[in-house]
């Protein structure tokens, strides 16, 4: 599965002038477009989702579940509470986990909701031992996915605040076995997922260039492999490499680990010669310095920290015996 590079909040109107801390900038030609968070569940292949859930549950309980003898199998109900602010993401995974355990989930908030603690998010009903068997797996998945969506939403907001409407994207720096969740979280937060896997885009990195014997040879080989179906992107460390890549047929150029003062003139010079080549900026970009990388000649800003460094949100699942479910306490640090 390779979701397109086109998901984010509604773009801001284009502004004129030169980029700067207090001045609007010309917008890049590629604009991210809105996608309803509720509809994103359709991107998840049911067979893949079921296989993931099965592997997660088997990992947590590969043998005897002794705690099941404590809880028993009587009908029970539990409330899902959000105890930290952020963006709710991961409902399809939460649902799939409890569906496999013969439990039913009723949601009080839609996917993509802004969470204000303490928020009653959902209710789960089913046999007590099944609720508790799925509890930790479901909470881990929801907390991680929501954390990534929250970071992505903050990045998109920072970019829009700078007057820039290009693509804020994730990277392939994801957790092995958990990529589908993390890429989905990016989309819910309004960022682009970038390529889902190696088959979504032919990315020529610095090591490929060394192995191939130069930029031109690497790009021509990639162009031949990509044929008409895939785009070719080339990682470059200088304007000379970027021009060489564009001349050889690259569709996108990745200016990696450039400082902002070097990035923008390099991108401008490249665009002057090759206006149809898209420019991606990456490397060392955080939520704090993101606005410095936004510029009129930058089409994509990719951020590995969205999946590698996003803090998980805090959720809890509490069983209750009476109609009124107790509200959990929050321990502020």
């Amino acid at each position: 599965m390779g979701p397109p590079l086109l998901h984010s909040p509604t773009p801001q109107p284009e502004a004129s002038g030169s980029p700067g801390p207090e001045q609007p900038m010309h917008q890049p030609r590629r604009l991210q477009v809105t996608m309803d968070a509720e509809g994103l569940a359709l991107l998840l292949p049911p067979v893949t989702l079921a296989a993931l859930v099965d592997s997660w549950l088997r990992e947590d309980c590969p043998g005897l579940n002794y705690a099941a003898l404590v809880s028993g199998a009587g009908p029970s109900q539990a409330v899902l509470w959000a105890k930290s602010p952020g963006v709710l993401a991961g409902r399809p995974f939460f649902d799939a986990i409890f569906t496999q355990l013969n439990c039913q989930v009723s949601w009080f908030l839609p996917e993509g909701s802004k969470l204000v603690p303490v928020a009653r998010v959902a209710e789960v009903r089913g046999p007590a031992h099944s609720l508790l068997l799925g509890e930790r797996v479901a909470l881990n998945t929801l907390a991680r996915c929501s954390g990534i969506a929250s970071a992505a939403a903050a990045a998109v907001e920072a970019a829009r605040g700078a007057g820039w409407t290009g693509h804020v994207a994730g990277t392939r720096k994801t957790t092995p076995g958990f990529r589908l969740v993390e890429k989905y979280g990016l989309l819910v937060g309004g960022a682009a997922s970038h390529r889902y896997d190696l088959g979504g885009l032919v990315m020529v990195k610095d090591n490929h260039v060394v192995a191939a014997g130069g930029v031109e040879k690497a790009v021509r080989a990639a162009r031949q492999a990509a044929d008409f179906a895939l785009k070719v992107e080339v990682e470059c460390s200088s304007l000379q490499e970027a021009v060489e890549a564009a001349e050889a047929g690259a569709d996108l150029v990745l200016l990696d680990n450039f400082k902002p003062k070097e990035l923008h003139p390099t991108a401008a010079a490249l665009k002057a010669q090759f206006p149809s080549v898209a420019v991606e900026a990456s490397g060392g970009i955080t939520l704090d310095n993101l606005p410095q990388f936004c510029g009129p000649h930058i089409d994509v800003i990719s951020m590995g920290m969205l999946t590698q460094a996003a803090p998980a949100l805090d959720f809890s699942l509490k069983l209750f015996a009476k109609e009124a479910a107790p509200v959990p306490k929050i321990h502020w640090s």
Side-chain angles (χ1 to χ4, degrees), residues 277-288:
V277 172
V279 175
E280 175 180 345
S282 189
I285 304 175
T286 66
L287 293 178
D288 291 333

Side-chain angles (χ1 to χ4, degrees), residues 18 27 57 76 88 132 191 233 244 247 260 289 301 323:
S18 59
Q27 301 303 324
L57 291 172
S76 299
L88 175 64
L132 297 179
E233 182 168 14
E244 191 176 354
E247 288 177 338
N289 66 18
I301 295 177
E323 289 299 322

Side-chain angles (χ1 to χ4, degrees), residues 144-158 168-175 182-183 185-186 191-194 256-257 280-291 293 301-312:
R144 180 76 180 132
C145 191
S146 296
I148 290 171
S150 301
V156 171
E157 183 178 2
V168 176
T171 68
R172 204 162 52 88
K173 295 176 181 178
T174 55
T175 308
E182 294 175 349
K183 290 287 191 178
L186 289 170
S193 67
H194 213 300
D256 195 28
N257 292 311
E280 175 180 345
S282 189
I285 304 175
T286 66
L287 293 178
D288 291 333
N289 66 18
L290 172 60
F293 290 85
I301 295 177
S302 56
M303 306 170 64
M305 59 80 56
L306 296 181
T307 49
Q308 286 193 318

